[in-house]
């Protein structure tokens, strides 16, 4: 078997993508996860410094993104571990959305340390 035949067989097995492309996509996804975590931390820190409140909106987006990623991994790989991680992130996401809705409706005084009743 020639080198070209081996490469073509590898592309066929990996949906037309070679191993290098898949590795780059995997690295890019990992960097994007940690980059978005860093951005959420920065936004939360700045929000706390200037308003004494922690905004949950960016965390809703962050945990929603990770939750979806783990559900996709579960549906593709059918590994129970991925499902449990996805359900954990879903629980956090639902708590954040609930807090956000309660804050919008005025039933939660805001997520600040010095909030007066």
């Amino acid at each position: 078997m020639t080198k070209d035949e081996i490469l073509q067989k590898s592309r066929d097995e990996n949906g037309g993508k070679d191993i290098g492309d898949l590795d780059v996509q995997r690295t890019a996804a990992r960097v994007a996860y940690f980059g978005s975590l860093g951005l959420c931390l920065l936004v939360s820190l700045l929000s706390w410094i200037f308003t004494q409140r922690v905004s949950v909106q960016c965390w809703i987006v962050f945990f929603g993104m990770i939750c979806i990623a783990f559900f996709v991994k579960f549906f593709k790989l059918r590994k129970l571990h991925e499902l449990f991680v996805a359900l954990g992130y879903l629980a956090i996401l639902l708590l954040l959305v609930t807090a956000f809705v309660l804050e919008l409706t005025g039933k939660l005084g805001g997520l600040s340390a010095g909030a007066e009743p």
Side-chain angles (χ1 to χ4, degrees), residues 13-65:
E13 290 174 356
N14 293 310
K17 298 178 182 176
D18 62 21
I19 300 299
D21 285 344
L22 295 173
D23 189 46
V24 168
Q25 288 177 4
R26 193 175 311 117
T27 302
R30 189 176 314 117
V31 170
Y33 287 143
F34 287 113
S36 61
L37 174 63
L39 288 171
C40 284
L41 288 170
L42 177 65
V43 166
S44 293
L45 179 64
L46 290 173
S47 178
W48 178 257
I49 289 170
F50 291 110
T51 67
Q52 298 298 303
R53 295 171 49 97
V54 175
S55 174
V56 297
Q57 291 93 326
C58 68
W59 292 108
I60 289 171
V61 173
F62 177 75
F63 282 105
M65 175 188 70

Side-chain angles (χ1 to χ4, degrees), residues 90-104:
L90 180 63
I92 294 170
L93 176 64
L94 292 174
L95 287 172
L96 289 170
V97 168
T98 302
F100 180 62
V101 169
L102 290 174
E103 186 177 359
L104 286 177

Side-chain angles (χ1 to χ4, degrees), residues 63-82:
F63 282 105
M65 175 188 70
I66 292 186
C67 178
I68 291 168
F70 275 94
F71 272 119
V72 168
K73 284 175 70 175
F74 167 71
F75 288 121
K76 294 284 186 182
L77 301 174
R78 295 288 184 205
K79 290 185 178 178
L80 225 49
H81 170 268
E82 306 300 332

